[in-house]
Amino acid sequence: MSTGPGAASAPAPDGHDDPPTPDAARKTSMFASLRVRNYRLFFLGQVVSNIGTWMQRIAQDWLVLSLTGSSAAVGITTALQFLPMLFFGLYGGVLVDRLRKRPTLLVTQSSMAVTALFLAVLTLTGHVQVWHVYVAAFAMGLATVVDNPARQSFVAELVGRDQLQNAVSLNSANFQSARLIGPAVAGLMITGVGTGWAFLANGLSFVAPLSCLLLMRARELHAVQRAPRGKGQLREGLHYVAGRPELIWTIVLVGFIGTFGFNFPVFLSAFADDVFDAGAGAYSLFNTLMAVGSVAGALLAARRGTARLRVLIAAALAFGALEMVAATAPELWLFALLMVPIGVFSMTVNVTANTSIQMSTDPAMRGRVMALYMMVFLGGSPVGAPIVGWVTDTYGARVGFAAGGAVAATAALVIGLVLARVGNLRLTVGWHRGHPQVRFVPRERREELAPAA
């Protein structure tokens, strides 16, 4: 993949599909990044905050479903939370490239804490209405316009380029590990004392990341050149991505998957409530089991030395296929078990795409590129969530889930073929150490391997 303006724009075959060099093949320590003090603080702060975030997600979705009885309303809530990213995400990236990341994160994290506490007060006092939840979701979305690209690009300043993939993978494992705890605690709170306490817990959880940001040593951060103020920076970022197929097609792929395949609040709440009639406990269980798979996927990614596009395509295909299989599951226990491999492959897609984009981008452009990535990945929800919610309400949860998986698998297949054509690659099937192997190799090599007439 390209790492700067002078690098080739097409995907480099050697970078993706040739046998790796010994250094590239060597697996890194799974927790190598945690040796860095600043990253360790960042990681610990996010552990607490992420648990609160997952508690709020579960409570928010269930509160809306309880108030309205509509999967489409859950989809609207999701859409409002990500709508700001769709409209303003690129401008957030421009700001992130200009600003210092740590002070920026102090502001965005504080604003999200205030929003969560506001919703907690309304819910605990019995005055909450569905439009209040919509407003809170939209306010959270406004903060994430800057917070998401700032957090993503701040990781490189914490650990440097050499440990970037490991740190990105551990961040994902962190977020998904919190998913094991947050939904379970949220389920207990919803059934025991009410949703308002989950919102309160999330608001208070932001004390941890704010404290850890303040405790970091600025002199130990890896210096990254900030973009000066100037005209045309948004257009410059778009042109930068458009000229690199390994960036643009990766972003297109995660856009399709994020828009139609990752609408789990709609899918899982509908399966828990309508298909299996099992309530909030089953919804929490589905999220928890998916988190088990997601943690496994993130930790496996932390062990890999490189982020390969072929891994991304294969994981996206498997993810879509598993969603279609899960949509036909006749029993609750089987559907729940399928959440584990779905979690593995969804996290493989997430981590591989995130890392490959960051590694392929110049530091001065990273905020804008990551903003575009997050805008497409998360900002697609305002488009996809209402559509998926309508399909789910009209044709049933099984049809909605299967349709999301079909879109993800089709996008992976088509974009995989496009990348192979752009990179002048061809598909080969053979044997390696007694096992079947499917690979993309340069066309010239395919011709060399062909038997002589």
Side-chain angles (χ1 to χ4, degrees), residues 269-339:
S269 62
F271 266 84
D273 194 45
D274 299 331
V275 177
F276 299 118
D277 194 24
Y283 182 45
S284 295
L285 174 65
F286 297 155
N287 280 279
T288 300
L289 289 174
M290 185 177 292
V292 171
S294 298
V295 171
L299 292 177
L300 288 172
R303 293 281 291 170
R304 285 196 295 270
T306 56
R308 296 172 179 265
L309 287 180
R310 67 183 182 187
V311 174
L312 173 63
I313 298 299
L317 273 169
F319 169 77
L322 282 167
E323 282 200 337
M324 289 187 283
V325 172
T328 65
E331 302 290 340
L332 185 150
W333 66 268
L334 179 58
F335 181 84
L337 286 179
L338 284 169
M339 294 301 101

Side-chain angles (χ1 to χ4, degrees), residues 188-202:
L188 291 174
M189 283 191 169
I190 292 170
T191 56
V193 294
T195 56
W197 293 99
F199 299 138
L200 178 62
N202 181 46

Side-chain angles (χ1 to χ4, degrees), residues 13-334:
D14 292 342
H16 303 302
D17 295 283
D18 277 358
T21 63
D23 288 340
R26 180 173 55 84
K27 297 184 186 299
T28 186
S29 169
M30 188 175 290
F31 303 102
S33 300
L34 292 177
R35 299 190 188 107
V36 180
R37 180 183 181 276
N38 281 344
Y39 178 74
R40 191 162 60 247
L41 283 169
F42 180 81
F43 186 90
L44 291 173
Q46 292 300 307
V47 167
V48 179
S49 181
N50 286 337
I51 290 173
T53 296
W54 277 112
M55 291 175 64
Q56 173 140 338
R57 285 192 177 189
I58 299 300
Q60 176 180 278
D61 296 338
W62 202 255
L63 176 61
V64 171
L65 194 63
S66 300
L67 291 172
T68 66
S70 169
S71 293
V74 177
I76 290 172
T77 307
T78 303
L80 287 170
Q81 189 159 339
F82 298 116
L83 196 64
M85 181 66 70
L86 181 63
F87 287 152
F88 310 119
L90 292 177
Y91 296 98
V94 172
L95 285 175
V96 167
D97 278 337
R98 293 175 182 173
L99 300 173
R100 287 164 40 192
K101 308 301 185 296
R102 188 165 60 140
T104 300
L105 288 172
L106 287 169
V107 173
T108 58
Q109 297 276 297
S110 297
S111 66
M112 287 191 283
V114 171
T115 302
L117 293 173
F118 167 76
L119 190 56
V121 170
L122 287 174
T123 307
L124 290 172
T125 57
H127 293 95
V128 69
Q129 299 179 35
V130 69
W131 72 267
H132 294 142
V133 185
Y134 290 165
V135 170
F138 187 76
M140 282 283 191
L142 285 174
T144 59
V145 166
V146 176
D147 186 78
N148 271 342
R151 276 191 298 109
Q152 297 288 336
S153 53
F154 189 48
V155 174
E157 296 186 26
L158 292 170
V159 301
R161 180 180 175 82
D162 291 344
Q163 297 191 63
L164 181 59
Q165 173 159 344
N166 181 260
V168 169
S169 301
L170 290 182
N171 278 354
S172 298
N174 182 332
F175 187 70
Q176 298 303 326
S177 296
R179 193 175 182 178
L180 294 171
I181 303 172
V185 177
L188 291 174
M189 283 191 169
I190 292 170
T191 56
V193 294
T195 56
W197 293 99
F199 299 138
L200 178 62
N202 181 46
L204 296 177
S205 73
F206 283 98
V207 172
L210 290 170
S211 300
C212 289
L213 285 167
L214 292 171
L215 290 171
M216 290 179 183
R217 296 170 182 164
R219 65 180 181 275
E220 294 179 7
L221 295 174
H222 293 256
V224 173
Q225 180 183 359
R226 283 183 285 151
R229 294 181 62 88
K231 295 182 178 180
Q233 289 180 324
L234 179 57
R235 185 169 57 252
E236 180 186 12
L238 293 174
H239 287 166
Y240 179 88
V241 172
R244 289 161 174 78
E246 74 276 22
L247 293 180
I248 188 64
W249 287 111
T250 298
I251 291 173
V252 169
L253 175 59
V254 298
F256 275 105
I257 294 175
T259 300
F260 299 103
F262 274 20
N263 279 290
F264 296 118
V266 177
F267 296 140
L268 301 188
S269 62
F271 266 84
D273 194 45
D274 299 331
V275 177
F276 299 118
D277 194 24
Y283 182 45
S284 295
L285 174 65
F286 297 155
N287 280 279
T288 300
L289 289 174
M290 185 177 292
V292 171
S294 298
V295 171
L299 292 177
L300 288 172
R303 293 281 291 170
R304 285 196 295 270
T306 56
R308 296 172 179 265
L309 287 180
R310 67 183 182 187
V311 174
L312 173 63
I313 298 299
L317 273 169
F319 169 77
L322 282 167
E323 282 200 337
M324 289 187 283
V325 172
T328 65
E331 302 290 340
L332 185 150
W333 66 268
L334 179 58

Side-chain angles (χ1 to χ4, degrees), residues 260-261 266-267 270-271 274-275 320 323-329 335 387-407:
F260 299 103
V266 177
F267 296 140
F271 266 84
D274 299 331
V275 177
E323 282 200 337
M324 289 187 283
V325 172
T328 65
F335 181 84
I387 295 174
V388 168
W390 176 80
V391 171
T392 300
D393 280 343
T394 305
Y395 299 103
R398 296 188 184 279
V399 173
F401 204 18
V407 171

